[in-house]
Amino acid sequence: MSGYIQTISFEQAEKIAERAAFEQLQPFMNNSRVNVLDENFFEAECCWFFFRNRQIEGPPEQNLRWGKSLCNK
């Protein structure tokens, strides 16, 4: 991507993903001290993909709510 100017940092993107993950995953969390994000993430040019902590799971019928990754650009 030529001419791209980064508008947020990795740290800012991670905080946004943490907030979004907590909003979605909080009903399925047994322990609020568990990190909502997995340590692993993918990075592409100007984009980060964050994933939920695999310790947080919910019922299969609500998989679309708790089973997705979180992306920030």
Side-chain angles (χ1 to χ4, degrees):
M1 293 181 84
S2 61
Y4 175 78
I5 300 172
Q6 183 174 340
T7 57
I8 65 172
S9 67
F10 171 80
E11 291 78 16
Q12 291 169 317
E14 186 177 38
K15 292 285 185 209
I16 292 168
E18 284 175 338
R19 278 194 304 266
F22 185 78
E23 288 176 11
Q24 290 293 316
L25 299 174
Q26 193 266 336
F28 309 107
M29 295 174 66
N30 296 328
N31 181 350
S32 62
R33 298 174 65 125
V34 171
N35 291 331
V36 294
L37 297 181
D38 190 84
E39 291 178 4
N40 298 311
F41 61 92
F42 290 129
E43 184 172 4
E45 188 174 358
C46 311
C47 183
W48 299 277
F49 288 87
F50 299 95
F51 302 92
R52 70 171 169 82
N53 183 333
R54 298 278 179 191
Q55 294 177 12
I56 303 170
E57 292 185 347
E61 65 274 7
Q62 292 186 18
N63 183 269
L64 291 176
R65 186 161 178 210
W66 62 263
K68 62 184 175 184
S69 63
L70 304 157
C71 174
N72 279 299
K73 292 183 181 183

